[in-house]
Amino acid sequence: MSCYAKSSIAQAFSKAAASYDSAAQFQRDTGHKLLDPILTRSANALGGQRWLDLGSGTGYFTELLAQSGVQVVGLDLALGMLNHAKHERSSQPSHQLSWLNGDAESLPLQDNAFDLVFSTLALQWCDDLGRALKEAYRVLKPQGEMHFTTLVAGSLTELTQAWQQVDNKPHVNAFLPLSDIQAATQQAPFAHVELQVLPEVVSYPTALALLKDLKGIGANHVPTSARAPGLGGRGAIAAMCQGYERFRDHQGLLPATYQVCYARLIK
């Protein structure tokens, strides 16, 4: 991915910093499914540990990590997200919680520095997942663990199919198939790898409500080269919404299905 593309992604998420938390219920639910078992299992052995929240966004989970008693670094590519997090999460002592601007594929961190790397719904924005996992491996201490979630191919399939009623251009970001995620985990010599894919369905009254949430979290960025002419025009969006109607369920709601990969890697 070019520096320009990464800059565009960072800009999209920075722009969404103020609206992110109000639109991110799915992201919070997914993050809790990843985090809560870690905290339960580790509740009696967290003293003195140092954790990295990779792709920390508005700092929601970074703050929860710090509240558990560990020292935590929240790292994000988007400066706007970091600035928002610093302002919103300022109640945590500075010795427990710090913030860093950085790229998951080239971490500005020392080797063997962290007991655990936590990352939820951030790594799908990496151009090279294998490189990001190698970097996470590098900064983990021996026997350290990485826990992450990422989206898998088949996510937002209803939205993709609805847009296909309009044109054949990509309007929805593509996500890696599970086989590619498995291959990426093999690029670093983790001693143990667990991967599980679970479907998660979020229901909306209208397709426009889904688009509003995607925009609200900054996840509406599509590479410029892939954008269709007129993307976002009223006529195109109206046609997409009409195409989405065929998915309306017996409760009168429109589903948005995500395929979520939950991963645990041990160094």
mmCIF file of all heavy atoms in Angstrom, residues 20-21 24-36 39 51 53 55-68 70 72 74 89 97 99 118-121 149:
data_model
loop_
_atom_site.group_PDB
_atom_site.id
_atom_site.type_symbol
_atom_site.label_atom_id
_atom_site.label_comp_id
_atom_site.label_asym_id
_atom_site.label_seq_id
_atom_site.Cartn_x
_atom_site.Cartn_y
_atom_site.Cartn_z
ATOM 1 N N TYR A 20 -17.249 8.209 16.087
ATOM 2 C CA TYR A 20 -16.971 6.773 16.084
ATOM 3 C C TYR A 20 -17.725 6.025 17.181
ATOM 4 O O TYR A 20 -18.424 5.046 16.916
ATOM 5 C CB TYR A 20 -15.467 6.523 16.235
ATOM 6 C CG TYR A 20 -15.076 5.064 16.091
ATOM 7 C CD1 TYR A 20 -14.655 4.564 14.868
ATOM 8 C CD2 TYR A 20 -15.136 4.194 17.173
ATOM 9 C CE1 TYR A 20 -14.313 3.226 14.724
ATOM 10 C CE2 TYR A 20 -14.801 2.862 17.047
ATOM 11 C CZ TYR A 20 -14.388 2.380 15.815
ATOM 12 O OH TYR A 20 -14.064 1.062 15.695
ATOM 13 N N ASP A 21 -17.593 6.461 18.422
ATOM 14 C CA ASP A 21 -18.165 5.693 19.532
ATOM 15 C C ASP A 21 -19.676 5.550 19.428
ATOM 16 O O ASP A 21 -20.239 4.522 19.813
ATOM 17 C CB ASP A 21 -17.781 6.334 20.868
ATOM 18 C CG ASP A 21 -16.326 6.062 21.233
ATOM 19 O OD1 ASP A 21 -15.751 5.084 20.722
ATOM 20 O OD2 ASP A 21 -15.759 6.842 22.024
ATOM 21 N N ALA A 24 -20.385 2.639 16.855
ATOM 22 C CA ALA A 24 -19.495 1.474 16.901
ATOM 23 C C ALA A 24 -19.971 0.361 17.826
ATOM 24 O O ALA A 24 -19.155 -0.332 18.437
ATOM 25 C CB ALA A 24 -18.097 1.929 17.317
ATOM 26 N N GLN A 25 -21.287 0.133 17.910
ATOM 27 C CA GLN A 25 -21.772 -0.923 18.799
ATOM 28 C C GLN A 25 -21.241 -2.293 18.379
ATOM 29 O O GLN A 25 -20.827 -3.092 19.227
ATOM 30 C CB GLN A 25 -23.294 -0.948 18.810
ATOM 31 C CG GLN A 25 -23.879 -1.908 19.848
ATOM 32 C CD GLN A 25 -23.480 -1.541 21.263
ATOM 33 O OE1 GLN A 25 -23.661 -0.405 21.694
ATOM 34 N NE2 GLN A 25 -22.917 -2.505 22.003
ATOM 35 N N PHE A 26 -21.252 -2.582 17.087
ATOM 36 C CA PHE A 26 -20.709 -3.867 16.608
ATOM 37 C C PHE A 26 -19.234 -3.998 16.970
ATOM 38 O O PHE A 26 -18.774 -5.058 17.416
ATOM 39 C CB PHE A 26 -20.897 -3.967 15.087
ATOM 40 C CG PHE A 26 -20.042 -5.013 14.430
ATOM 41 C CD1 PHE A 26 -20.259 -6.358 14.657
ATOM 42 C CD2 PHE A 26 -19.006 -4.643 13.582
ATOM 43 C CE1 PHE A 26 -19.458 -7.336 14.063
ATOM 44 C CE2 PHE A 26 -18.206 -5.600 12.983
ATOM 45 C CZ PHE A 26 -18.438 -6.952 13.221
ATOM 46 N N GLN A 27 -18.476 -2.923 16.814
ATOM 47 C CA GLN A 27 -17.052 -2.951 17.132
ATOM 48 C C GLN A 27 -16.831 -3.189 18.630
ATOM 49 O O GLN A 27 -15.934 -3.946 19.016
ATOM 50 C CB GLN A 27 -16.385 -1.644 16.693
ATOM 51 C CG GLN A 27 -16.175 -1.507 15.198
ATOM 52 C CD GLN A 27 -17.468 -1.261 14.419
ATOM 53 O OE1 GLN A 27 -18.492 -0.843 14.988
ATOM 54 N NE2 GLN A 27 -17.416 -1.489 13.126
ATOM 55 N N ARG A 28 -17.657 -2.578 19.475
ATOM 56 C CA ARG A 28 -17.528 -2.793 20.921
ATOM 57 C C ARG A 28 -17.897 -4.230 21.293
ATOM 58 O O ARG A 28 -17.215 -4.866 22.097
ATOM 59 C CB ARG A 28 -18.397 -1.798 21.697
ATOM 60 C CG ARG A 28 -17.801 -0.404 21.777
ATOM 61 C CD ARG A 28 -18.534 0.456 22.791
ATOM 62 N NE ARG A 28 -19.932 0.670 22.418
ATOM 63 C CZ ARG A 28 -20.333 1.635 21.597
ATOM 64 N NH1 ARG A 28 -19.453 2.458 21.046
ATOM 65 N NH2 ARG A 28 -21.614 1.770 21.314
ATOM 66 N N ASP A 29 -18.994 -4.732 20.720
ATOM 67 C CA ASP A 29 -19.412 -6.102 21.030
ATOM 68 C C ASP A 29 -18.331 -7.104 20.642
ATOM 69 O O ASP A 29 -18.020 -8.034 21.396
ATOM 70 C CB ASP A 29 -20.711 -6.432 20.289
ATOM 71 C CG ASP A 29 -21.912 -5.667 20.829
ATOM 72 O OD1 ASP A 29 -21.811 -5.094 21.945
ATOM 73 O OD2 ASP A 29 -22.945 -5.623 20.135
ATOM 74 N N THR A 30 -17.765 -6.912 19.456
ATOM 75 C CA THR A 30 -16.714 -7.816 18.987
ATOM 76 C C THR A 30 -15.480 -7.718 19.873
ATOM 77 O O THR A 30 -14.883 -8.736 20.246
ATOM 78 C CB THR A 30 -16.346 -7.471 17.531
ATOM 79 O OG1 THR A 30 -17.507 -7.629 16.708
ATOM 80 C CG2 THR A 30 -15.245 -8.383 17.012
ATOM 81 N N GLY A 31 -15.087 -6.500 20.233
ATOM 82 C CA GLY A 31 -13.923 -6.317 21.079
ATOM 83 C C GLY A 31 -14.096 -6.951 22.452
ATOM 84 O O GLY A 31 -13.151 -7.534 23.003
ATOM 85 N N HIS A 32 -15.298 -6.853 23.004
ATOM 86 C CA HIS A 32 -15.542 -7.472 24.316
ATOM 87 C C HIS A 32 -15.481 -9.000 24.232
ATOM 88 O O HIS A 32 -15.000 -9.650 25.171
ATOM 89 C CB HIS A 32 -16.884 -7.014 24.873
ATOM 90 C CG HIS A 32 -16.816 -5.723 25.623
ATOM 91 N ND1 HIS A 32 -16.190 -5.609 26.851
ATOM 92 C CD2 HIS A 32 -17.272 -4.481 25.312
ATOM 93 C CE1 HIS A 32 -16.280 -4.359 27.266
ATOM 94 N NE2 HIS A 32 -16.924 -3.647 26.354
ATOM 95 N N LYS A 33 -15.959 -9.572 23.139
ATOM 96 C CA LYS A 33 -15.866 -11.029 22.982
ATOM 97 C C LYS A 33 -14.411 -11.474 22.940
ATOM 98 O O LYS A 33 -14.085 -12.593 23.356
ATOM 99 C CB LYS A 33 -16.592 -11.470 21.705
ATOM 100 C CG LYS A 33 -18.099 -11.408 21.801
ATOM 101 C CD LYS A 33 -18.762 -11.898 20.514
ATOM 102 C CE LYS A 33 -20.270 -11.803 20.617
ATOM 103 N NZ LYS A 33 -20.939 -12.252 19.364
ATOM 104 N N LEU A 34 -13.544 -10.607 22.441
ATOM 105 C CA LEU A 34 -12.115 -10.913 22.409
ATOM 106 C C LEU A 34 -11.466 -10.651 23.765
ATOM 107 O O LEU A 34 -10.667 -11.464 24.255
ATOM 108 C CB LEU A 34 -11.435 -10.061 21.331
ATOM 109 C CG LEU A 34 -9.924 -10.278 21.132
ATOM 110 C CD1 LEU A 34 -9.652 -11.647 20.529
ATOM 111 C CD2 LEU A 34 -9.347 -9.182 20.233
ATOM 112 N N LEU A 35 -11.800 -9.511 24.378
ATOM 113 C CA LEU A 35 -11.085 -9.066 25.573
ATOM 114 C C LEU A 35 -11.542 -9.738 26.854
ATOM 115 O O LEU A 35 -10.704 -10.114 27.701
ATOM 116 C CB LEU A 35 -11.233 -7.552 25.713
ATOM 117 C CG LEU A 35 -10.606 -6.931 26.967
ATOM 118 C CD1 LEU A 35 -9.102 -7.152 26.984
ATOM 119 C CD2 LEU A 35 -10.937 -5.446 27.048
ATOM 120 N N ASP A 36 -12.834 -9.901 27.051
ATOM 121 C CA ASP A 36 -13.346 -10.354 28.347
ATOM 122 C C ASP A 36 -12.763 -11.698 28.779
ATOM 123 O O ASP A 36 -12.384 -11.852 29.955
ATOM 124 C CB ASP A 36 -14.875 -10.394 28.325
ATOM 125 C CG ASP A 36 -15.492 -8.998 28.221
ATOM 126 O OD1 ASP A 36 -14.744 -8.004 28.341
ATOM 127 O OD2 ASP A 36 -16.710 -8.905 28.000
ATOM 128 N N LEU A 39 -9.180 -11.097 30.154
ATOM 129 C CA LEU A 39 -9.136 -10.499 31.486
ATOM 130 C C LEU A 39 -9.572 -11.493 32.551
ATOM 131 O O LEU A 39 -9.015 -11.533 33.654
ATOM 132 C CB LEU A 39 -10.023 -9.251 31.527
ATOM 133 C CG LEU A 39 -9.587 -8.083 30.647
ATOM 134 C CD1 LEU A 39 -10.546 -6.913 30.806
ATOM 135 C CD2 LEU A 39 -8.168 -7.654 30.971
ATOM 136 N N TRP A 51 0.994 -4.070 27.982
ATOM 137 C CA TRP A 51 0.177 -4.510 26.855
ATOM 138 C C TRP A 51 0.148 -3.426 25.784
ATOM 139 O O TRP A 51 0.250 -2.232 26.073
ATOM 140 C CB TRP A 51 -1.255 -4.822 27.294
ATOM 141 C CG TRP A 51 -1.388 -6.043 28.157
ATOM 142 C CD1 TRP A 51 -0.396 -6.731 28.801
ATOM 143 C CD2 TRP A 51 -2.605 -6.709 28.487
ATOM 144 N NE1 TRP A 51 -0.921 -7.788 29.501
ATOM 145 C CE2 TRP A 51 -2.274 -7.799 29.327
ATOM 146 C CE3 TRP A 51 -3.934 -6.508 28.160
ATOM 147 C CZ2 TRP A 51 -3.228 -8.680 29.838
ATOM 148 C CZ3 TRP A 51 -4.905 -7.374 28.663
ATOM 149 C CH2 TRP A 51 -4.542 -8.449 29.491
ATOM 150 N N ASP A 53 -2.254 -1.997 22.676
ATOM 151 C CA ASP A 53 -3.527 -1.967 21.950
ATOM 152 C C ASP A 53 -3.216 -1.471 20.547
ATOM 153 O O ASP A 53 -2.973 -0.281 20.330
ATOM 154 C CB ASP A 53 -4.521 -1.052 22.659
ATOM 155 C CG ASP A 53 -5.902 -1.070 22.003
ATOM 156 O OD1 ASP A 53 -6.098 -1.833 21.037
ATOM 157 O OD2 ASP A 53 -6.777 -0.316 22.468
ATOM 158 N N GLY A 55 -4.005 -0.430 16.969
ATOM 159 C CA GLY A 55 -5.174 0.117 16.290
ATOM 160 C C GLY A 55 -6.186 0.548 17.332
ATOM 161 O O GLY A 55 -7.343 0.134 17.315
ATOM 162 N N SER A 56 -5.745 1.396 18.245
ATOM 163 C CA SER A 56 -6.511 1.702 19.453
ATOM 164 C C SER A 56 -7.707 2.612 19.221
ATOM 165 O O SER A 56 -8.588 2.708 20.079
ATOM 166 C CB SER A 56 -5.589 2.327 20.501
ATOM 167 O OG SER A 56 -4.873 3.429 19.968
ATOM 168 N N GLY A 57 -7.770 3.296 18.091
ATOM 169 C CA GLY A 57 -8.927 4.128 17.786
ATOM 170 C C GLY A 57 -9.190 5.182 18.839
ATOM 171 O O GLY A 57 -8.291 5.917 19.253
ATOM 172 N N THR A 58 -10.426 5.252 19.311
ATOM 173 C CA THR A 58 -10.805 6.259 20.304
ATOM 174 C C THR A 58 -10.362 5.885 21.715
ATOM 175 O O THR A 58 -10.635 6.636 22.657
ATOM 176 C CB THR A 58 -12.328 6.477 20.314
ATOM 177 O OG1 THR A 58 -12.964 5.253 20.702
ATOM 178 C CG2 THR A 58 -12.830 6.919 18.950
ATOM 179 N N GLY A 59 -9.722 4.743 21.883
ATOM 180 C CA GLY A 59 -9.172 4.368 23.183
ATOM 181 C C GLY A 59 -10.147 3.675 24.105
ATOM 182 O O GLY A 59 -9.852 3.483 25.290
ATOM 183 N N TYR A 60 -11.295 3.242 23.599
ATOM 184 C CA TYR A 60 -12.296 2.574 24.444
ATOM 185 C C TYR A 60 -11.695 1.349 25.133
ATOM 186 O O TYR A 60 -11.772 1.195 26.355
ATOM 187 C CB TYR A 60 -13.512 2.189 23.604
ATOM 188 C CG TYR A 60 -14.547 1.364 24.339
ATOM 189 C CD1 TYR A 60 -15.520 1.981 25.124
ATOM 190 C CD2 TYR A 60 -14.559 -0.026 24.250
ATOM 191 C CE1 TYR A 60 -16.464 1.232 25.805
ATOM 192 C CE2 TYR A 60 -15.497 -0.783 24.929
ATOM 193 C CZ TYR A 60 -16.444 -0.146 25.702
ATOM 194 O OH TYR A 60 -17.384 -0.897 26.385
ATOM 195 N N PHE A 61 -11.069 0.466 24.339
ATOM 196 C CA PHE A 61 -10.493 -0.741 24.922
ATOM 197 C C PHE A 61 -9.147 -0.464 25.585
ATOM 198 O O PHE A 61 -8.779 -1.140 26.545
ATOM 199 C CB PHE A 61 -10.372 -1.847 23.863
ATOM 200 C CG PHE A 61 -11.695 -2.441 23.492
ATOM 201 C CD1 PHE A 61 -12.304 -2.123 22.286
ATOM 202 C CD2 PHE A 61 -12.358 -3.300 24.354
ATOM 203 C CE1 PHE A 61 -13.541 -2.651 21.952
ATOM 204 C CE2 PHE A 61 -13.589 -3.831 24.032
ATOM 205 C CZ PHE A 61 -14.188 -3.510 22.831
ATOM 206 N N THR A 62 -8.433 0.526 25.106
ATOM 207 C CA THR A 62 -7.172 0.906 25.744
ATOM 208 C C THR A 62 -7.421 1.280 27.190
ATOM 209 O O THR A 62 -6.677 0.882 28.096
ATOM 210 C CB THR A 62 -6.537 2.095 25.000
ATOM 211 O OG1 THR A 62 -6.817 2.024 23.602
ATOM 212 C CG2 THR A 62 -5.034 2.125 25.214
ATOM 213 N N GLU A 63 -8.473 2.047 27.432
ATOM 214 C CA GLU A 63 -8.818 2.457 28.786
ATOM 215 C C GLU A 63 -9.210 1.263 29.643
ATOM 216 O O GLU A 63 -8.808 1.162 30.813
ATOM 217 C CB GLU A 63 -9.954 3.477 28.746
ATOM 218 C CG GLU A 63 -10.318 4.036 30.105
ATOM 219 C CD GLU A 63 -11.374 5.126 30.002
ATOM 220 O OE1 GLU A 63 -12.359 4.932 29.253
ATOM 221 O OE2 GLU A 63 -11.219 6.159 30.675
ATOM 222 N N LEU A 64 -9.991 0.334 29.080
ATOM 223 C CA LEU A 64 -10.370 -0.860 29.832
ATOM 224 C C LEU A 64 -9.142 -1.679 30.213
ATOM 225 O O LEU A 64 -9.055 -2.215 31.330
ATOM 226 C CB LEU A 64 -11.329 -1.718 29.006
ATOM 227 C CG LEU A 64 -12.740 -1.172 28.795
ATOM 228 C CD1 LEU A 64 -13.558 -2.157 27.971
ATOM 229 C CD2 LEU A 64 -13.424 -0.906 30.129
ATOM 230 N N LEU A 65 -8.190 -1.779 29.302
ATOM 231 C CA LEU A 65 -6.956 -2.503 29.598
ATOM 232 C C LEU A 65 -6.217 -1.842 30.759
ATOM 233 O O LEU A 65 -5.743 -2.522 31.678
ATOM 234 C CB LEU A 65 -6.062 -2.558 28.364
ATOM 235 C CG LEU A 65 -6.572 -3.364 27.172
ATOM 236 C CD1 LEU A 65 -5.658 -3.171 25.970
ATOM 237 C CD2 LEU A 65 -6.668 -4.845 27.507
ATOM 238 N N ALA A 66 -6.115 -0.527 30.723
ATOM 239 C CA ALA A 66 -5.409 0.188 31.781
ATOM 240 C C ALA A 66 -6.119 0.030 33.122
ATOM 241 O O ALA A 66 -5.477 -0.071 34.172
ATOM 242 C CB ALA A 66 -5.279 1.664 31.416
ATOM 243 N N GLN A 67 -7.442 -0.006 33.109
ATOM 244 C CA GLN A 67 -8.210 -0.176 34.338
ATOM 245 C C GLN A 67 -7.967 -1.540 34.968
ATOM 246 O O GLN A 67 -8.183 -1.713 36.177
ATOM 247 C CB GLN A 67 -9.703 0.020 34.055
ATOM 248 C CG GLN A 67 -10.095 1.453 33.765
ATOM 249 C CD GLN A 67 -11.538 1.591 33.331
ATOM 250 O OE1 GLN A 67 -12.242 0.603 33.124
ATOM 251 N NE2 GLN A 67 -11.994 2.827 33.173
ATOM 252 N N SER A 68 -7.513 -2.508 34.199
ATOM 253 C CA SER A 68 -7.254 -3.847 34.735
ATOM 254 C C SER A 68 -5.923 -3.914 35.470
ATOM 255 O O SER A 68 -5.587 -4.946 36.048
ATOM 256 C CB SER A 68 -7.274 -4.884 33.608
ATOM 257 O OG SER A 68 -6.152 -4.734 32.762
ATOM 258 N N VAL A 70 -2.753 -3.112 34.078
ATOM 259 C CA VAL A 70 -1.554 -3.256 33.260
ATOM 260 C C VAL A 70 -1.134 -1.891 32.722
ATOM 261 O O VAL A 70 -1.937 -0.958 32.646
ATOM 262 C CB VAL A 70 -1.786 -4.224 32.074
ATOM 263 C CG1 VAL A 70 -2.192 -5.587 32.567
ATOM 264 C CG2 VAL A 70 -2.831 -3.666 31.103
ATOM 265 N N VAL A 72 -0.352 0.113 29.506
ATOM 266 C CA VAL A 72 -0.824 -0.104 28.137
ATOM 267 C C VAL A 72 -0.451 1.074 27.239
ATOM 268 O O VAL A 72 -0.518 2.232 27.647
ATOM 269 C CB VAL A 72 -2.357 -0.359 28.106
ATOM 270 C CG1 VAL A 72 -3.122 0.791 28.714
ATOM 271 C CG2 VAL A 72 -2.846 -0.639 26.693
ATOM 272 N N GLY A 74 -1.528 2.668 23.649
ATOM 273 C CA GLY A 74 -2.504 2.702 22.573
ATOM 274 C C GLY A 74 -1.844 3.260 21.323
ATOM 275 O O GLY A 74 -1.401 4.414 21.315
ATOM 276 N N ARG A 89 -9.911 9.960 27.351
ATOM 277 C CA ARG A 89 -9.450 8.937 28.313
ATOM 278 C C ARG A 89 -8.418 9.512 29.281
ATOM 279 O O ARG A 89 -7.602 8.788 29.829
ATOM 280 C CB ARG A 89 -8.835 7.749 27.566
ATOM 281 C CG ARG A 89 -9.596 7.287 26.340
ATOM 282 C CD ARG A 89 -10.983 6.774 26.660
ATOM 283 N NE ARG A 89 -11.717 6.496 25.424
ATOM 284 C CZ ARG A 89 -12.992 6.139 25.371
ATOM 285 N NH1 ARG A 89 -13.674 5.995 26.487
ATOM 286 N NH2 ARG A 89 -13.588 5.919 24.210
ATOM 287 N N LEU A 97 -1.080 4.540 31.087
ATOM 288 C CA LEU A 97 -1.664 4.670 29.756
ATOM 289 C C LEU A 97 -0.904 5.714 28.955
ATOM 290 O O LEU A 97 -0.738 6.851 29.384
ATOM 291 C CB LEU A 97 -3.133 5.088 29.895
ATOM 292 C CG LEU A 97 -3.969 5.306 28.644
ATOM 293 C CD1 LEU A 97 -3.973 4.054 27.768
ATOM 294 C CD2 LEU A 97 -5.397 5.681 29.016
ATOM 295 N N TRP A 99 0.074 6.995 24.605
ATOM 296 C CA TRP A 99 -0.433 6.969 23.235
ATOM 297 C C TRP A 99 0.717 7.144 22.253
ATOM 298 O O TRP A 99 1.661 7.889 22.516
ATOM 299 C CB TRP A 99 -1.475 8.072 23.030
ATOM 300 C CG TRP A 99 -2.570 8.020 24.043
ATOM 301 C CD1 TRP A 99 -2.658 8.779 25.188
ATOM 302 C CD2 TRP A 99 -3.708 7.162 24.044
ATOM 303 N NE1 TRP A 99 -3.789 8.443 25.881
ATOM 304 C CE2 TRP A 99 -4.447 7.457 25.222
ATOM 305 C CE3 TRP A 99 -4.173 6.173 23.174
ATOM 306 C CZ2 TRP A 99 -5.641 6.798 25.530
ATOM 307 C CZ3 TRP A 99 -5.350 5.510 23.487
ATOM 308 C CH2 TRP A 99 -6.063 5.821 24.646
ATOM 309 N N PHE A 118 -3.060 -6.679 21.833
ATOM 310 C CA PHE A 118 -4.506 -6.763 21.638
ATOM 311 C C PHE A 118 -4.854 -5.906 20.428
ATOM 312 O O PHE A 118 -4.396 -4.764 20.318
ATOM 313 C CB PHE A 118 -5.222 -6.246 22.888
ATOM 314 C CG PHE A 118 -6.719 -6.130 22.756
ATOM 315 C CD1 PHE A 118 -7.537 -7.210 23.052
ATOM 316 C CD2 PHE A 118 -7.306 -4.933 22.363
ATOM 317 C CE1 PHE A 118 -8.921 -7.104 22.948
ATOM 318 C CE2 PHE A 118 -8.688 -4.814 22.252
ATOM 319 C CZ PHE A 118 -9.488 -5.910 22.555
ATOM 320 N N SER A 119 -5.659 -6.441 19.528
ATOM 321 C CA SER A 119 -6.041 -5.657 18.350
ATOM 322 C C SER A 119 -7.405 -6.123 17.876
ATOM 323 O O SER A 119 -7.588 -7.303 17.550
ATOM 324 C CB SER A 119 -5.016 -5.831 17.220
ATOM 325 O OG SER A 119 -5.372 -5.046 16.093
ATOM 326 N N THR A 120 -8.356 -5.231 17.839
ATOM 327 C CA THR A 120 -9.694 -5.634 17.409
ATOM 328 C C THR A 120 -10.185 -4.787 16.235
ATOM 329 O O THR A 120 -10.214 -3.554 16.292
ATOM 330 C CB THR A 120 -10.705 -5.589 18.577
ATOM 331 O OG1 THR A 120 -11.968 -6.100 18.127
ATOM 332 C CG2 THR A 120 -10.861 -4.216 19.179
ATOM 333 N N LEU A 121 -10.491 -5.465 15.156
ATOM 334 C CA LEU A 121 -11.050 -4.876 13.935
ATOM 335 C C LEU A 121 -10.227 -3.701 13.428
ATOM 336 O O LEU A 121 -10.747 -2.651 13.049
ATOM 337 C CB LEU A 121 -12.510 -4.460 14.155
ATOM 338 C CG LEU A 121 -13.473 -5.623 14.451
ATOM 339 C CD1 LEU A 121 -14.891 -5.119 14.622
ATOM 340 C CD2 LEU A 121 -13.422 -6.694 13.356
ATOM 341 N N THR A 149 -8.913 -9.605 16.361
ATOM 342 C CA THR A 149 -10.024 -9.893 15.465
ATOM 343 C C THR A 149 -9.790 -9.155 14.167
ATOM 344 O O THR A 149 -9.186 -8.072 14.143
ATOM 345 C CB THR A 149 -11.389 -9.447 16.039
ATOM 346 O OG1 THR A 149 -11.386 -8.023 16.211
ATOM 347 C CG2 THR A 149 -11.682 -10.131 17.359
#
